[in-house]
Amino acid sequence: MKKLEEYVVSIPDFPEEGVIFRDVTSILQDPEGLQLAIDSLDAMLEGVDFDVVVGPESRGFIFGMPVAYNMKKSFVPIRKKGKLPRETISQEYALEYGTAVIEMHRDAIKPGQKVVIVDDLIATGGTTEAMIRMVEELGGQVVKVCFVMELAGLKGREKLAGYDVESAIIYEGK
């Protein structure tokens, strides 16, 4: 059986020279790769006491939903600003060239709920940090943060100091 990282296609010099783009969609295109990714995330949660899985659009949906289903937990989507129909809370976060805003329904997390965040990738950690702030604003407790891939050279894990963070694949570069 192949290792999960063997399903990742690496594209040199994209989106700019010197960067190696790690394409998670190649994992999704292979049934065994997809199963291995979900199984890896599930394994990260063995023995973890939690109530709900949270994931950002769009790839957090792809990986978070099967984890929630397998663990018999609910799933809370985090969306880009203006995409959710009910009352929301929002959080702005920094991008390389500007800012973005994500939102979640105000009633999505109940006070005291234990939350797991699942996403495809941690790079700078800005999106995840914003998600954690929203969960905590609603009274939830983030007990674990799980990623399929981590670009360690971008030091996103440093923004998440104090949280239990785990990645199935860690690339040392950017």
Side-chain angles (χ1 to χ4, degrees), residues 53-65 75-80 93 102-104 116-121 127-128 130-131 134 145-147:
V53 175
V54 169
E57 72 175 274
S58 62
R59 292 175 303 250
F61 293 8
I62 292 168
F63 292 105
M65 279 294 301
F75 180 81
V76 172
I78 294 189
R79 306 269 336 249
K80 294 173 182 149
Y93 62 99
I102 53 175
E103 296 181 324
M104 69 190 301
V116 167
I117 294 174
V118 174
D119 203 358
D120 69 321
L121 174 75
T127 308
T128 306
M131 288 188 287
M134 286 193 297
V145 186
C146 303
F147 301 100

Side-chain angles (χ1 to χ4, degrees), residues 86 133 156-157 163:
R86 300 191 319 265
R133 286 195 302 259
R157 191 180 281 257
Y163 294 93

